[in-house]
Amino acid sequence: MKVTTTKDIRNKIKDYFESAEKERISIKRGNKYVNLTVTDEPDKVFLGEK
């Protein structure tokens, strides 16, 4: 898993999108994280109700 910042992803977004197809990418934003998910089924639910 690779953790990056919003500033770094802004500068290298193409690289991170390509990397997300091979490994888990998390973007740290304050005290929270945003995970990039690559899928061919955009309607699929990846998270539970919690």
Side-chain angles (χ1 to χ4, degrees):
M1 175 172 74
K2 182 182 266 187
V3 178
T4 187
T5 62
T6 54
K7 181 180 178 182
D8 192 37
I9 199 161
R10 227 183 359 245
N11 294 334
K12 302 175 187 172
I13 196 157
K14 181 181 176 191
D15 295 338
Y16 282 104
F17 281 173
E18 289 173 356
S19 292
E21 294 185 18
K22 301 173 193 134
E23 65 180 317
R24 187 172 163 192
I25 305 289
S26 292
I27 305 157
K28 186 169 187 200
R29 190 166 189 242
N31 292 329
K32 297 183 180 184
Y33 292 86
V34 176
N35 294 301
L36 294 182
T37 304
V38 178
T39 181
D40 291 331
E41 303 173 40
D43 293 335
K44 187 174 180 181
V45 177
F46 292 97
L47 302 174
E49 293 290 323
K50 293 182 180 184

